[in-house]
Amino acid sequence: MVILALVLPTWAGITYVGLVRARRGDELPAPRLPGLPRTRAKKAAWIAASAYLAGGALHLYGLSYMPFLFPEDACWFNAGAKVYPDSSSALPVSLVCRGTEIVPWWVNPGLLVLAVTAVGATVASVVFAVRRRRAG
């Protein structure tokens, strides 16, 4: 098993590098030039995109507790009671069965943190981009 996991991929990589060097005349490959440096606007945009994506995933996770076709099944699967939910809402994410909140406590604060981060990073990205264009 060790042969399959370690030795064969190593041997294949060494063989491939040898073939590439043989085609190029035994030279080392040309170094890759560094790309353009990331600006503050791009960094803020990446942070904003990541926060939007994580917030969407967290909201979908919270919505997985919600009743859709059969409301009594939401309480049955999540709380073990075959009853209709007392209340449910999508924002803030909430499902109450027999007076007990079913959705984990950390979902709504996490959504708030990610939303503030996403909006703040979006605004910062726009501000940085506008300042850079005005500067030259």
Side-chain angles (χ1 to χ4, degrees), residues 1-2 4 7 22 84-85 105-106 108 117 126 132 134:
M1 197 56 132
V2 173
L4 290 176
V7 176
Y84 283 98
W105 65 269
W106 48 266
N108 290 316
T117 302
V126 170
R132 184 173 178 173
R134 285 186 182 169

Side-chain angles (χ1 to χ4, degrees), residues 21-107:
R21 283 181 140 186
R23 285 187 196 149
R24 291 184 179 175
D26 205 26
E27 307 171 348
L28 290 175
R32 294 179 64 192
L33 297 175
L36 294 175
R38 282 196 181 166
T39 62
R40 292 189 305 173
K42 283 186 182 180
K43 289 178 187 176
W46 275 104
I47 291 170
S50 300
Y52 281 119
L53 185 64
L58 183 60
H59 195 244
L60 284 176
Y61 172 75
L63 289 179
S64 70
Y65 287 91
M66 293 295 107
F68 289 107
L69 295 177
F70 302 104
E72 69 275 4
D73 287 346
C75 289
W76 175 255
F77 290 131
N78 297 314
K82 189 79 168 171
V83 295
Y84 283 98
D86 297 339
S87 67
S88 66
S89 68
L91 203 61
V93 182
S94 174
L95 174 67
V96 179
C97 295
R98 288 191 176 171
T100 304
E101 178 64 45
I102 304 301
V103 177
W105 65 269
W106 48 266
V107 171

